[in-house]
Amino acid sequence: MTRLQALLGIALPIVQAPMAGVQGSALAIAVSNAGALGSLPCAMLSGDGLRGELQLMRSQTSLPYNVNFFCHTPAQPDISRDAAWHAALQPYYEAFGMDINAQPAGPGRAPFSATVADVLEEFRPPVVSFHFGLPEAALLARVKNWGAKVISTATTVDEARWLEAHGADAIIAQGLEAGGHRGMFRTDDLSTQSGTFALLPQVVHAVSLPVIAAGGIADAAGVAAALALGAAGVQVGTAYLLCPEATTSAIHRAALQDESARHTALTNLFSGRPARGIVNRIMRELGPIGTVVPGFPLATAAIAPLRAHAEKMGSGDFTPLWAGQNVAGCREVSARELTLGLATMATIPRR
């Protein structure tokens, strides 16, 4: 048994990555019931939505599960930057016969708050994870007071040390290969980001907490390699995207099974923060990293209508097709089968 299994009370040293927009409680429940740690992405849920998903978790699994939240400071609107962003998107709006000034306003992701903690306390989930650091000390204390174990993501050794010093119980070492949003929170410099198997041993050496390897791990061989390098467990996301329990859209599923899925890039176009996805039209034409893109999560508002319009026509040209660099593990099998397959490592050094 690894330190992570002992800490979280799980049979397998595997964490299913929380993936907002492509899953709900069904995937998390299936993974937890298979003996790993299922994760529920909560940053985009309303209070009622969160309560409903937690009720489903409680009713359909008695095993440990994880709920995940963001800890970002929302960007403030910038009139000049917003105007430049609108100018960049204007040709697409005109091509679709749409009015960019008629777009709905407001971000789609909220940081962890006291209101959210009030809902969580009704259910007392056993594991709470965070992206972009940790919440303020008082909120973190509330979470830990009901006995929850706290996990957060580090993309550098500096971030890992910070998380250890500020109350994390385990650390996810997120390599550059990982799909979705980078968990970086101590720097905006993308040149600081390392691949999983370069970052992992450095983080293991730098901290005393259990370390979970994430990024590019899609099969049992990847799990074995991570454990051999000192990881106490692994986090896997992309490989679950084709499972029937995931809510991945038909457009996204088709993209994952196309040769184009081999070409991914970090982009800030869809949310304002760097995240890895399959390269599509908007990323090719504007460049994956834009200098005029509003800060997280404000960028989403202007691009969402383009996404909705294109998707109605069966196109993913403006859709964030989140995926890691290794889609080889994506299979149309149950989450249980995938999880057990990941765990078929017979003689692995236990950390």
Side-chain angles (χ1 to χ4, degrees):
M1 176 173 286
T2 70
R3 293 174 62 200
L4 185 74
Q5 291 166 270
L7 176 71
L8 304 182
I10 53 179
L12 306 174
I14 296 167
V15 178
Q16 166 248 314
M19 300 178 289
V22 293
Q23 69 150 119
S25 57
L27 179 62
I29 290 165
V31 173
S32 285
N33 284 339
L37 187 71
S39 300
L40 178 69
C42 301
M44 296 175 68
L45 296 176
S46 65
D48 288 342
L50 175 59
R51 184 174 282 104
E53 289 284 60
L54 290 172
Q55 287 171 340
L56 288 171
M57 296 293 299
R58 173 185 280 177
S59 68
Q60 296 184 40
T61 187
S62 59
L63 295 168
Y65 64 90
N66 166 44
V67 292
N68 176 259
F69 297 90
F70 290 166
C71 290
H72 62 287
T73 299
Q76 297 301 308
D78 181 317
I79 294 175
S80 61
R81 196 168 189 176
D82 289 346
W85 180 227
H86 284 193
L89 297 179
Q90 182 65 36
Y92 302 110
Y93 272 84
E94 291 179 354
F96 288 156
M98 298 166 59
D99 181 3
I100 196 168
N101 296 311
Q103 60 169 290
R109 300 168 179 87
F112 191 71
S113 66
T115 301
V116 172
D118 289 342
V119 176
L120 281 190
E121 200 154 7
E122 299 174 30
F123 296 87
R124 299 182 172 235
V127 183
V128 182
S129 67
F130 297 100
H131 218 45
F132 315 135
L134 291 168
E136 61 183 72
L139 285 176
L140 185 63
R142 285 189 63 182
V143 171
K144 301 195 88 169
N145 282 344
W146 72 64
K149 302 303 181 185
V150 171
I151 303 174
S152 190
T153 300
T155 67
T156 65
V157 169
D158 174 59
E159 289 176 348
R161 287 175 171 150
W162 188 94
L163 292 174
E164 181 175 44
H166 288 81
D169 295 304
I171 294 170
I172 299 164
Q174 187 192 38
L176 192 57
E177 303 94 328
H181 283 94
R182 303 295 301 149
M184 54 200 305
F185 64 96
R186 298 273 287 171
T187 178
D188 295 325
D189 185 355
L190 287 174
S191 71
T192 65
Q193 305 296 280
S194 306
T196 303
F197 292 134
L199 176 65
L200 172 61
Q202 295 182 70
V203 172
V204 169
H205 179 74
V207 301
S208 61
L209 301 176
V211 178
I212 303 162
I217 300 169
D219 56 24
V223 175
L227 295 181
L229 283 175
V234 302
Q235 179 171 276
V236 177
T238 300
Y240 283 102
L241 289 173
L242 293 183
C243 292
E245 296 91 345
T247 60
T248 315
S249 71
I251 288 171
H252 199 164
R253 287 175 185 268
L256 288 163
Q257 297 174 85
D258 189 82
E259 283 295 313
S260 63
R262 297 179 186 275
H263 185 193
T264 66
L266 292 179
T267 181
N268 64 347
L269 300 182
F270 299 105
S271 72
R273 267 185 179 265
R276 183 172 296 282
I278 299 169
V279 175
N280 59 3
R281 178 185 173 188
I282 191 71
M283 292 167 68
R284 286 192 299 270
E285 294 182 357
L286 295 187
I289 299 294
T291 58
V292 300
V293 180
F296 183 86
L298 301 178
T300 304
I303 207 164
L306 295 173
R307 170 184 179 175
H309 186 88
E311 287 183 349
K312 287 179 182 177
M313 300 186 292
S315 169
D317 284 348
F318 301 90
T319 300
L321 302 169
W322 301 141
Q325 288 184 325
N326 183 6
V327 298
C330 291
R331 294 187 295 137
E332 294 178 293
V333 298
S334 71
R336 177 181 179 83
E337 181 178 340
L338 181 62
T339 301
L340 295 178
L342 289 167
T344 56
M345 53 279 185
T347 55
I348 305 304
R350 301 304 186 190
R351 304 282 177 155

